[in-house]
Amino acid sequence: MSQPKKNGRCAYCAEIRPLTNDHIPPQNLFPKPRSSDLITVPCCETCQAGWSKDDEYFRAAILSSAKVSEGSLAQGAIDSLGRSLRRKEQKGFSRTILRSIKEVEIVTEAGILLGKEPVFQLDIERIGRVAQRIIRGLFFHEKGYSLPSGYEVFVRIQQFGLKPILEQLPGVHFPQLRIVQNGIFSYTFKETEEDQNSSIWLLFFYKELPLLGFTRLPLSQRNTL
């Protein structure tokens, strides 16, 4: 963690506090040598406390995806994850990862049983915390201010592609993707016409794994506008 800087407004809590930088998405997703186009946002140490373990888990979850792990773009990050898990100080985390691997039956669309394979059972709540932070950080990066109080962030990793979701969003045309470190991460977003703070986000990790996110007011507040 870098040393605190001068006081400023935190991208997440919007409070004026001593700041450091937070990488969006977590820096550990990018293998070395890292490019100069990584995204950072100002963050107070109060918000940042305890994030490192969730970031490690998020990296393991993303890299465990079959689409990601089979691609060449992720190999550097996979090697880095392996080295991290072998460190003595990471033994507890390594045990957590191993306990999350379960054997499941693999069945084709035609119903043919192919046998069993080890699958990483995701802690959805933990994944969601990091994914929501990424959306909030990107919101600040793009707009220059924090997501206003009262707005919620909804996220969902699309392990089976975006087509089923995009079919439910007819007429929504997204701007060109912003690409970070040769496509290891990319994203785009679209504001709603009714509210500039309500938005739809498409994120891609290693060009293979998409994540869909929304910023929005709770339904009870939307109905009063």
Side-chain angles (χ1 to χ4, degrees):
M1 183 183 298
S2 59
Q3 293 299 314
K5 299 182 178 180
K6 63 182 180 180
N7 285 358
R9 193 172 300 278
C10 176
Y12 302 107
C13 68
E15 297 290 335
I16 303 296
R17 292 173 174 168
L19 298 176
T20 184
N21 287 327
D22 183 45
H23 281 86
I24 298 297
Q27 183 176 240
N28 61 11
L29 292 173
F30 301 93
K32 296 179 181 179
R34 298 184 176 110
S35 62
S36 61
D37 60 349
L38 301 191
I39 298 169
T40 62
V41 296
C43 174
C44 69
E45 291 187 323
T46 301
C47 283
Q48 198 174 53
W51 282 353
S52 61
K53 290 183 178 180
D54 279 351
D55 288 352
E56 281 294 304
Y57 187 88
F58 187 83
R59 173 173 65 164
I62 294 295
L63 294 175
S64 71
S65 166
K67 286 186 176 182
V68 170
S69 62
E70 293 172 0
S72 59
L73 197 60
Q75 292 310 305
I78 290 172
D79 292 343
S80 177
L81 174 62
R83 290 192 296 271
S84 176
L85 293 176
R86 288 192 292 269
R87 295 175 189 152
K88 289 183 179 180
E89 62 270 22
Q90 289 283 46
K91 283 186 176 181
F93 181 71
S94 299
R95 287 193 292 269
T96 298
I97 295 299
L98 289 173
R99 286 196 298 266
S100 299
I101 298 175
K102 311 291 182 182
E103 282 198 342
V104 300
E105 292 183 341
I106 305 300
V107 182
T108 69
E109 293 183 0
I112 301 174
L113 180 62
L114 299 179
K116 292 185 176 182
E117 289 188 8
V119 173
F120 189 61
Q121 301 290 307
L122 298 181
D123 182 336
I124 299 301
E125 181 178 350
R126 200 171 189 182
I127 294 296
R129 286 198 298 265
V130 180
Q132 289 173 19
R133 187 177 104 228
I134 293 172
I135 297 293
R136 287 181 178 274
L138 290 174
F139 185 98
F140 183 93
H141 175 71
E142 289 288 339
K143 292 178 168 289
Y145 60 90
S146 304
L147 185 66
S149 177
Y151 281 79
E152 60 185 3
V153 180
F154 172 81
V155 292
R156 182 176 177 183
I157 292 180
Q158 303 298 127
Q159 298 188 60
F160 304 105
L162 285 171
K163 185 177 179 181
I165 296 297
L166 294 181
E167 288 176 348
Q168 300 177 34
L169 302 171
V172 177
H173 301 287
F174 290 92
Q176 185 175 357
L177 285 171
R178 281 81 155 166
I179 297 174
V180 179
Q181 194 161 331
N182 298 319
I184 286 178
F185 176 67
S186 56
Y187 72 96
T188 183
F189 75 102
K190 180 77 173 179
E191 297 174 353
T192 66
E193 294 182 359
E194 299 81 9
D195 177 13
Q196 65 177 0
N197 296 319
S198 295
S199 50
I200 308 170
W201 296 78
L202 294 179
L203 282 54
F204 294 87
F205 299 91
Y206 306 99
K207 295 184 178 180
E208 298 292 342
L209 187 63
L211 183 149
L212 179 70
F214 299 90
T215 64
R216 62 192 184 187
L217 280 169
L219 183 60
S220 59
Q221 296 186 45
R222 279 179 270 161
N223 289 340
T224 63
L225 296 178

